[in-house]
Structure formats: C-alpha cells, structure tokens
Amino acid sequence: MRLKGRVATVTGSAQGMGEAIARAFIREGAAVIISDVNEEGAQRVADDIIRQGGRAYAIRIDVTKSEDAERLAQCAIDIFGGLDIHVNNAGISMTRLFVETERADLERILQVNLVGAFICAQAAVRRMLPRGFGRIINIASLSGQRGGVGRAAYGVSKAGLELLTKVMSVELAASGITINNIAPGAIATEMATQQHDQATRDAYHYLIPQRRYGRPEEIADAAVFLSSEEARHICGHTLNVDGGFQTAGLMFTFGSSKAPVPPAL
Ligand SMILES: NC(=O)c1ccc[n+]([C@@H]2O[C@H](COP(=O)([O-])OP(=O)(O)OC[C@H]3O[C@@H](n4cnc5c(N)ncnc54)[C@H](O)[C@@H]3O)[C@@H](O)[C@H]2O)c1
C-alpha cells in the first residue's frame, strides 16, 4: 500500500498502459480518476475497479483542450478531496517516413503528446503547489531518444516531453513536486499491436537484449515507484523500461563471429 491515501489522475487510462497504471495505483491504495477521450472505455475501467472495492471515477477528456485539462485536475479535488499524482500517459503514434509525413500528422501528434501533456501537467501543478507535494510522471518513449525509422513526428513529440520534464523539474524541485519520465521501449499494448508490422516486431526482438516486448504492468510498476515516498529525491529523471534496448551496443555470442539469431516470433 505504497500510495495509501493518495489521489491520482491518469490520462489515456481506458486501455493499455494507462489502464495498467491506474490499476496498479489502486492496488497500492490510491484513488484514481480514469480519463480518456474514449468515455465508454474509461467508464468500463472505473466500474470494474469499483466492483472490486477500489476508488475510481471516470471522466471524458481530450488532453488537447485546456478546459478539459482544468476539469480533470479539479475533478480529483471535487471527487476525492485532493490531487497528489498526475500521469501524462495519453498518446497517439504514427510510423511514417520523414519525407512522407504530412504537416497535419505532425501537428496532431505534437498536440496530443506534447501540448496535451504540457497543459494537463500545468493544471495539476497549480493545484499541487499550495499543498507542497506532488508527483508528475510523463510517459515518454525510446523513440524520443533514438532515431528510429518512421518516428520523425512521434519521436520529436516524446523528445520534447523529456525536455519539458527537465525544465519543470528544475523549476518545481524546491516546492515538493517531482517530475520524472518513464520511457517505455516496445510494450505489448493496443497501440503496438496496431502500429507494429512483422518487420517492426522482428527488428525489436533483434535489438532488445531481453528479446521480448514489455508488458503494461512493467510500466505500471515503475510508475508506482516514481509516485511513492521512496522516490522523493528523484527529479527530472528518465527511467527507461525497455528490456535493455537503449543500453545495448553490439550483440553477439562471445567467441563466435556470428550475430545471434533472433528467437522465433
Ligand atoms: N506501446 C508501446 O510500445 C509504447 C512505447 C513507448 C511509449 N508509448 C507511449 O505510452 C503511452 C500509452 O501507450 P499505449 O500503448 O498504452 O497506447 P493505447 O493506444 O493502447 O492507449 C492510449 C490511450 O490514450 C487515449 N487518448 C488518445 N488521444 C487522447 C486524447 N487526445 N485525450 C485523451 N485520451 C487520449 C486513447 O483513447 C487510449 O485509450 C502513449 O503516450 C505512448 O506514446 C507506448
């Protein structure tokens, strides 16, 4: 019960990693506002949590709308009496070559992944400041750290999020609010299922030392840690949860000139 008595808002929590994070927070004793553009999905997750005895409330928001960002933060206070933790998880993805990326695609991705995270965090922080405590967690991506094919628009939105985390962290460190990133590698969620074709899957299995996609629950466990009291001195950090993807250099079997054969998929 590492988050006992805490109140959290998680964007994009109708499915995938956001849902896993919300459920992990509930397991650790927090109350959670489930928020998503998918209202039905958010309600389904909240109803299920309540059925199991947890404290949850569903709200429809579009993270790109300032009034929705305000409604989300205020909802935590109105329903559960405060706001301690906010997770910027809502995101959209796209794999398209730089030369083929439409301006409209770029702008849509930046709006959701970067502007949305910015304004939702701002609304949350303004309510955390008077209390002298807060945790903001941004869900970034390995695509924001490495130059992956087809990741120009998506990658730049996540790289921007990492820098936003650093600036927020420096400005707010003395106020009792910590801001950190989790950068997932390849995680088996709806988004990855829809976006990753066989060539992408093969490439990930080859490049990730653990030779597998991560699970949403593995991201959620990292979010619990960064939200907990144990993480109180961690500021502006990016925690990669990626099976070693970012760390890996040349991989081959020692004593053999052959590169390892990736396991069957
Ligand atoms: N799956 C991966 O491999 C992977 C890897 C690295 C980073 N990420 C990031 O992790 C986060 C979660 O990814 P996921 O795989 O669980 O995705 P997902 O598509 O399964 O879930 C994303 C959720 O965000 C919601 N959403 C989208 N736009 C929204 C908006 N404007 N306002 C409110 N909600 C909105 C969707 O309705 C959905 O429920 C995203 O930010 C994504 O970029 C995913």
Side-chain angles (χ1 to χ4, degrees):
M1 297 294 271
R2 281 181 290 171
L3 306 180
K4 196 169 172 8
R6 299 289 187 207
V7 179
T9 48
V10 183
T11 65
S13 43
Q15 64 179 43
M17 276 184 246
E19 178 181 353
I21 291 168
R23 288 183 185 275
F25 283 181
I26 295 283
R27 182 193 73 213
E28 297 293 336
V32 183
I33 305 290
I34 310 292
S35 65
D36 206 292
V37 271
N38 174 2
E39 187 173 13
E40 216 177 287
Q43 195 61 59
R44 184 179 35 77
V45 171
D47 287 347
D48 190 51
I49 289 170
I50 293 164
R51 212 172 13 252
Q52 294 177 41
R55 295 198 306 151
Y57 185 85
I59 177 174
R60 186 200 179 276
I61 61 147
D62 177 345
V63 294
T64 66
K65 298 204 158 61
S66 296
E67 61 273 23
D68 286 11
E70 286 297 325
R71 269 198 312 119
L72 173 60
Q74 192 53 42
C75 180
I77 290 160
D78 294 346
I79 302 293
F80 294 123
L83 177 56
D84 303 297
I85 304 162
H86 172 72
V87 183
N88 278 316
N89 165 80
I92 55 172
S93 173
M94 186 185 71
T95 305
R96 196 156 299 165
L97 293 177
F98 166 71
V99 286
E100 292 170 2
T101 301
E102 305 277 352
R103 181 180 174 138
D105 294 330
L106 171 65
E107 286 178 353
R108 194 169 54 90
I109 284 196
L110 288 174
Q111 278 296 318
V112 176
N113 295 3
L114 187 54
V115 177
F118 192 116
I119 60 175
C120 287
Q122 206 172 45
V125 163
R126 284 176 180 156
R127 286 159 177 85
M128 290 169 175
L129 277 170
R131 294 155 54 95
F133 178 89
R135 297 277 193 267
I136 306 283
I137 297 171
N138 292 324
I139 306 298
S141 173
L142 255 282
S143 296
Q145 302 172 5
R146 307 189 68 170
V149 169
R151 300 310 232 179
Y154 179 74
V156 90
S157 73
K158 295 298 189 177
L161 196 53
E162 283 203 17
L163 190 75
L164 173 64
T165 300
K166 288 181 186 168
V167 175
M168 285 177 65
S169 191
V170 168
E171 290 186 7
L172 294 163
S175 66
I177 303 172
T178 68
I179 300 95
N180 291 289
N181 287 310
I182 294 171
I187 309 297
T189 64
E190 200 67 28
M191 176 186 276
T193 310
Q194 284 170 9
Q195 295 277 326
H196 297 185
D197 59 11
Q198 195 58 44
T200 309
R201 283 169 198 283
D202 289 349
Y204 274 128
H205 281 118
Y206 186 75
L207 290 167
I208 295 171
Q210 282 193 342
R211 304 283 184 218
R212 67 171 176 86
Y213 277 53
R215 294 187 294 276
E217 295 72 25
E218 291 170 323
I219 302 301
D221 287 341
V224 167
F225 168 66
L226 288 176
S227 301
S228 72
E229 191 51 28
E230 285 88 338
R232 62 192 167 276
H233 202 49
I234 302 176
C235 297
H237 181 71
T238 295
L239 178 55
N240 286 0
V241 183
D242 65 355
F245 183 25
Q246 173 62 292
T247 297
L250 187 62
M251 287 191 286
F252 64 96
T253 308
F254 189 72
S256 157
S257 59
K258 284 187 184 162
V261 179
L265 305 172

